[in-house]
Amino acid sequence: MAARTLDRAGARPLWRQLQDDLIERLRIGEFADGFPGELALVEDYGVSRHTVRQALRKLRADGMVTAERGRQPRVSPAADIVQPLGVLYSLFSSVEGTGLAQRSVVQTIGLRADAVVADRLGLEGSTPLVHIERVRYAGDDPLAIDRVWLPAAIAEPILDADFSHTSLYTVLAERTGLRLDRGEETIRAVLPTPGERTRLGTTPDQAALSIHRLSYAGPHRVEWRHTLVRGDRFALSAETTANYRLTAR
């Protein structure tokens, strides 16, 4: 078979050209029956194995293909959960809405002081906060590490709740009467730490979404949340109009 065409005299490196060509082939569904291995790509494109590995590294980091040591790369399945931007969503409801069973393993729940978080909530640094950390599951697999802080003066009644299969927002409304009505989110792509990778079941080069959320009830800041969610299982979507404006910060 003749090698697929890459511009060997151009300024763009071969691995980048290869990466772009593979992305286009993925987009049109060319690999529905299986993604080629490294040696097949070497032969197909007439490049070195090092070039192929450089191209695949980015595809793995973006969650487009998965590749475990000693195994052939595979096309990643579509994200299980696709969450629209612009709404204050519950991860519990988002998972349940797909038909997957949602459960949580609570790793920390209690009162603590955190001056940085208190400042984000507009509170004095020594203010007691309710802190909850959970590993969230979708089906049988880990989906996210979820860390939440709320003012203890509001949220202390939720400390003895069973969060293994329930929404924090539901418990908060039932026990305190408080309903969150808006939020602000900052989303970044990150590589989890080794400890986070162990809990999420991801590989060293697999990216995750780091989502920080500040939630309000009326004019009051009520919740600071950090969710680290697997990039191969969770996606965010947006519908744009002519008046849509993206603000970078």
Side-chain angles (χ1 to χ4, degrees):
M1 179 191 299
R4 295 180 66 90
T5 302
L6 297 177
D7 183 6
R8 285 164 167 75
R12 295 177 70 246
L14 290 178
W15 71 266
R16 177 74 71 179
Q17 296 180 52
L18 171 56
Q19 172 191 302
D20 290 344
D21 193 58
L22 291 174
I23 289 173
E24 176 60 20
R25 294 173 71 184
L26 283 164
R27 187 188 67 79
I28 64 177
E30 190 171 327
F31 301 126
D33 294 330
F35 195 84
E38 290 182 3
L39 293 179
L41 291 173
V42 166
E43 182 178 351
D44 196 12
Y45 285 90
V47 295
S48 70
R49 196 164 185 176
H50 176 70
T51 297
V52 168
R53 286 175 173 172
Q54 283 184 293
L56 291 178
R57 187 176 299 121
K58 174 64 173 173
L59 299 184
R60 289 196 302 268
D62 288 346
M64 302 182 74
V65 300
T66 60
E68 301 171 9
R69 186 178 298 276
R71 296 187 179 182
Q72 182 169 316
R74 305 184 307 278
V75 178
S76 297
D80 295 315
I81 303 102
V82 179
Q83 175 60 53
L85 291 169
V87 295
L88 184 63
Y89 59 90
S90 160
L91 187 60
F92 177 91
S93 299
S94 297
V95 173
E96 294 272 296
T98 67
L100 292 168
Q102 196 284 153
R103 67 182 178 91
S104 297
V105 175
V106 178
Q107 299 190 314
T108 301
I109 185 167
L111 295 176
R112 68 169 57 178
D114 188 308
V116 174
V117 174
D119 182 66
R120 288 167 176 157
L121 291 171
L123 302 170
E124 195 274 329
S126 61
T127 303
L129 304 172
V130 169
H131 175 59
I132 306 170
E133 181 169 336
R134 296 172 285 172
V135 177
R136 315 287 295 272
Y137 284 76
D140 295 329
D141 301 318
L143 172 68
I145 300 170
D146 196 34
R147 305 173 177 103
V148 180
W149 294 262
L150 308 104
I154 296 171
E156 195 164 358
I158 74 172
L159 281 173
D160 62 350
D162 179 4
F163 285 103
S164 60
H165 185 261
T166 191
S167 163
L168 170 66
Y169 294 166
T170 298
V171 173
L172 196 63
E174 291 175 348
R175 297 200 174 194
T176 72
L178 194 68
R179 298 184 184 276
L180 307 186
D181 51 30
R182 67 186 180 93
E184 303 168 358
E185 284 191 338
T186 301
I187 304 165
R188 294 184 175 88
V190 300
L191 288 175
T193 66
E196 290 168 338
R197 290 199 306 267
T198 298
R199 287 189 283 174
L200 290 174
T202 56
T203 58
D205 56 0
Q206 188 173 343
L209 296 176
S210 174
I211 306 173
H212 285 96
R213 177 192 292 178
L214 178 62
S215 301
Y216 294 77
H220 304 292
R221 303 176 190 179
V222 173
E223 175 198 45
W224 177 256
R225 180 187 293 249
H226 177 230
T227 304
L228 187 68
V229 60
R230 287 176 52 161
D232 62 332
R233 303 202 64 193
F234 185 85
L236 293 156
S237 67
E239 181 176 339
T240 61
T241 67
N243 296 322
Y244 179 81
R245 183 176 64 185
L246 180 65
T247 302
R249 64 177 186 174

